[in-house]
Amino acid sequence: MVPYETMSYPVACVIAISSQCTSPIETLRELYRNTGQGVNRVPLWAGTEFLRYYVLVHDEDHGDITKSTALFDQMKRHFGLHCHLLRLRSIECTENEEDAIKLPRCQWLSPEEDLYNIRQEEGGINDFNHFLFDTDVAVIKTFIREMITQSIVPFMEGRVTTWNEQVASRRRGISGRFMSLSKRWTGLGSSKGNKAYSSNPSGSSNSNYDAAEGFYAPDSPEAIMHRLADYAFMIRDWTLASNVYEILRADFGDDKIWNYHAAANEMNALSLLLTMQNSTTKSWAEAIDQLLDDASYSYITRCADNQAAERCLVLAIELYRSRGGYLLGEAAKWVERLLELSILSPIGNGLLVERLAVCYASQNGLGKLHWGSRDRKAALSDLLATQVWSLLKKPTDTGTHFHHASESYSVLKEGSPEAPFLEMEELRKQLQKDSGGDMAASPTPTSVARKDDFQATAEDLDTLTKLGNLNGKLARFHESEGVTLMERLNDPLDQAGDGPV
């Protein structure tokens, strides 16, 4: 969790006690205080304005439900309606039980945690054989559903309404614009008055950014509006979120706080991508391109945060691709842009080249001749993927993409007795020779189907040699023509489509 990404700030906190607790109300109050102070509190920049949800866990096997119900009523009188009585069994559930359900593995793991689990399994240590009674599964699902629908979502909607009326609405009118100019030139718009911060990156004394701490105070207008935009994004009011992000990116740019500025550009672009439709004009895509450019430039050049830039562009690529139509071309364009940045790991390069092939292959042409398709570029991207996975010693992936490319280049042109793209035959044979037995171990062409979704197995990245230029041997193959592969992907024929393969 970092200060400039308020999307990761806590929205709610579950405070739970057992029904066997000797002093339940005092314990709940102490736990409440610990959420705002002490060593277990959230970071200062996150503030304390989040929902507290109180849970009383009742032991179905050894507890007294009458006493638990009475205690639960007492909890609601002291702490309000954001309470839940969770009735669970305390005896251990084994796989031999008739109503046993295997506990699913957590899907919300960091890469480090996921890699650790894989290594544990490879070492013969399996910590995932845990079971629950089906009754416990049912009550846990009910608990989650009620907490979200009856407490968390209404809480977020209430905060959005309040912050929008009290803070954001003042910035949209004439008075709000005047205050923005006052803040920029005279300092009258700052909530900190004329207090100077000598370490402020902008060199201005009228910013609400605390350079000594490295964040905006939780009660500052910028911090409140940032949470407003993120809450609106999470409850799917993407239009409101985009409007607020647009205000914030201007404020953060004026203050020259580039990590906040990059995050606002990123979220503004994602909000626009979620609201746009296939019929949206290209001017909309151009506005999104500018936001993505600003975000990636700030992340890489000003913040030295390559991982954030990768996340930003990959999310944009997937949102473009999910819209289909001409936006598939936008997705392919940003895949190429991300490859050109050279900030990915070897496996990341391989996955991204795979995605480039998927973007091109998804562009269906018109008529029997498939005019407007991108089959040539999809095949060329498959050859790139073949080379990448061959260098990484991944025979299955190497063979899959080799056969995709082979199938595409072996299709006969209508009315032509010879196969097109004969110059690719030499290249494919060279790749097959260089890969050794990789191609032989892969499935036959007729059994290979292009997958729109893929998963990469975890690798020890430190054992991989650094992958060089993606063009590699493929680029040298076209040296006689003076054209690199990435230039071929952007050739003028792209304007009118590839036509038939």
Side-chain angles (χ1 to χ4, degrees), residues 481-496:
E481 304 176 26
V483 179
T484 65
L485 277 182
M486 295 310 292
E487 289 172 341
R488 289 174 67 89
L489 285 172
N490 294 294
D491 63 17
L493 286 177
D494 184 41
Q495 305 299 322

Side-chain angles (χ1 to χ4, degrees), residues 282 325-326 328-330 332 336 356-366 369-382 408-409 450 488-501:
K282 289 193 175 182
Y326 80 92
L328 287 167
E330 293 293 321
E336 295 173 16
L356 182 61
V358 169
C359 290
Y360 283 135
S362 300
Q363 300 184 56
N364 299 320
L366 300 176
L369 297 180
H370 302 288
W371 293 107
S373 66
R374 297 293 184 269
D375 295 330
R376 290 191 302 109
K377 293 186 177 182
L380 190 57
S381 300
D382 278 320
S408 298
Y409 285 124
R450 183 180 300 279
R488 289 174 67 89
L489 285 172
N490 294 294
D491 63 17
L493 286 177
D494 184 41
Q495 305 299 322
D498 293 341
V501 176

Side-chain angles (χ1 to χ4, degrees), residues 246 249 261-262 264-270 272-273 282-299 302 312-313 316 320 330 333-334 337:
E246 184 64 30
R249 63 185 292 268
H261 183 257
N265 277 297
E266 175 187 0
M267 295 307 300
N268 193 7
L270 297 182
L272 291 175
L273 281 167
K282 289 193 175 182
S283 61
W284 194 300
E286 291 173 358
I288 296 174
D289 286 352
Q290 184 61 50
L291 292 171
L292 293 175
D293 272 327
D294 292 344
S296 58
Y297 176 80
S298 295
Y299 277 136
R302 292 164 171 164
C312 170
L313 296 183
Y320 268 131
E330 293 293 321
K333 178 186 72 176
W334 279 104
R337 188 84 59 86

Side-chain angles (χ1 to χ4, degrees), residues 304-366:
D305 191 350
N306 292 347
Q307 184 178 5
E310 294 169 16
R311 177 199 62 201
C312 170
L313 296 183
V314 168
L315 287 174
I317 289 166
E318 289 305 302
L319 287 174
Y320 268 131
R321 190 197 58 78
S322 67
R323 291 293 184 261
Y326 80 92
L327 295 178
L328 287 167
E330 293 293 321
K333 178 186 72 176
W334 279 104
V335 171
E336 295 173 16
R337 188 84 59 86
L338 183 51
L339 286 170
E340 292 170 358
L341 292 175
S342 301
I343 60 176
L344 295 170
S345 66
I347 288 183
N349 279 328
L351 294 175
L352 210 58
V353 175
E354 279 191 3
R355 217 49 176 165
L356 182 61
V358 169
C359 290
Y360 283 135
S362 300
Q363 300 184 56
N364 299 320
L366 300 176

Side-chain angles (χ1 to χ4, degrees), residues 170-450:
R170 299 178 183 178
R171 297 294 308 278
R172 298 191 184 98
I174 296 178
S175 61
R177 297 176 184 177
F178 174 76
M179 293 301 291
S180 296
L181 292 174
S182 299
K183 176 182 175 182
R184 185 181 305 179
W185 301 111
T186 68
L188 297 177
S190 173
S191 64
K192 292 183 180 296
N194 293 322
K195 182 179 178 179
Y197 287 81
S198 59
S199 58
N200 194 323
S202 65
S204 172
S205 62
N206 55 14
S207 172
N208 292 323
Y209 182 76
D210 188 342
E213 297 290 344
F215 56 85
Y216 288 91
D219 58 347
S220 65
E222 291 85 356
I224 293 174
M225 289 182 63
H226 208 171
R227 292 201 300 274
L228 162 63
D230 287 341
Y231 278 23
F233 187 95
M234 285 186 276
I235 62 176
R236 301 187 179 186
D237 190 349
W238 295 307
T239 301
L240 173 60
S242 176
N243 292 336
V244 179
Y245 285 129
E246 184 64 30
I247 297 173
L248 287 171
R249 63 185 292 268
D251 288 348
F252 297 149
D254 292 340
D255 291 344
K256 294 182 172 57
I257 313 301
W258 300 120
N259 45 14
Y260 279 87
H261 183 257
N265 277 297
E266 175 187 0
M267 295 307 300
N268 193 7
L270 297 182
S271 299
L272 291 175
L273 281 167
L274 288 167
T275 57
M276 72 186 305
Q277 302 296 328
N278 293 344
S279 59
T280 303
T281 60
K282 289 193 175 182
S283 61
W284 194 300
E286 291 173 358
I288 296 174
D289 286 352
Q290 184 61 50
L291 292 171
L292 293 175
D293 272 327
D294 292 344
S296 58
Y297 176 80
S298 295
Y299 277 136
I300 296 172
T301 305
R302 292 164 171 164
C303 306
D305 191 350
N306 292 347
Q307 184 178 5
E310 294 169 16
R311 177 199 62 201
C312 170
L313 296 183
V314 168
L315 287 174
I317 289 166
E318 289 305 302
L319 287 174
Y320 268 131
R321 190 197 58 78
S322 67
R323 291 293 184 261
Y326 80 92
L327 295 178
L328 287 167
E330 293 293 321
K333 178 186 72 176
W334 279 104
V335 171
E336 295 173 16
R337 188 84 59 86
L338 183 51
L339 286 170
E340 292 170 358
L341 292 175
S342 301
I343 60 176
L344 295 170
S345 66
I347 288 183
N349 279 328
L351 294 175
L352 210 58
V353 175
E354 279 191 3
R355 217 49 176 165
L356 182 61
V358 169
C359 290
Y360 283 135
S362 300
Q363 300 184 56
N364 299 320
L366 300 176
K368 293 182 178 179
L369 297 180
H370 302 288
W371 293 107
S373 66
R374 297 293 184 269
D375 295 330
R376 290 191 302 109
K377 293 186 177 182
L380 190 57
S381 300
D382 278 320
L383 284 180
L384 283 168
T386 299
Q387 182 198 23
V388 172
W389 292 124
S390 177
L391 292 174
L392 294 175
K393 307 301 181 183
K394 305 292 290 184
T396 301
D397 296 296
T398 300
T400 297
H401 291 282
F402 179 80
H403 288 309
H404 284 159
S406 299
E407 288 176 342
S408 298
Y409 285 124
S410 63
V411 175
L412 295 177
K413 283 184 178 178
E414 185 175 355
S416 173
E418 297 182 355
F421 309 110
L422 295 178
E423 72 275 9
M424 287 297 178
E425 190 64 27
E426 178 187 346
L427 174 60
R428 293 191 291 113
K429 290 180 180 179
Q430 184 63 39
L431 282 174
Q432 188 172 18
K433 178 180 178 181
D434 292 343
S435 62
D438 289 354
M439 306 302 179
S442 54
T444 59
T446 56
S447 65
V448 177
R450 183 180 300 279

